[in-house]
Amino acid sequence: KEEIDRLENDIDEQTRILRDRHIERLGRRECDPAAGMYFVDMITNMERVADHATNVGFALLKETRA
């Protein structure tokens, strides 16, 4: 359980870092806003995939303990 929680927290933190760096790039006009929308969508969807994987991991742990 602790390993799953740690990985989930790591992914959440990486998502925040990527989003913050993207906002900085936009502020410096180093990134095209249209491309930026795709980037934000991509990292959001990747985080959702990780959330689903976390749920699967917890379900499997629950099943093995039952």
Side-chain angles (χ1 to χ4, degrees), residues 31-65:
C31 180
D32 176 58
M37 288 182 0
Y38 290 113
F39 179 76
V40 170
D41 282 348
M42 182 184 69
I43 61 174
T44 299
N45 288 329
M46 294 300 286
E47 183 180 15
R48 286 181 185 156
V49 169
D51 289 340
H52 290 302
T54 297
N55 292 336
V56 169
F58 282 132
L60 289 172
L61 281 177
K62 185 176 178 182
E63 286 294 317
T64 59
R65 292 180 183 177

Side-chain angles (χ1 to χ4, degrees), residues 5-22:
D5 283 332
R6 185 187 66 74
L7 290 169
E8 170 61 21
N9 290 333
D10 288 348
I11 291 167
D12 289 344
E13 179 63 20
Q14 286 299 313
T15 301
R16 281 189 289 277
I17 290 168
L18 289 169
R19 191 170 283 127
D20 289 347
R21 288 179 182 170
H22 171 64

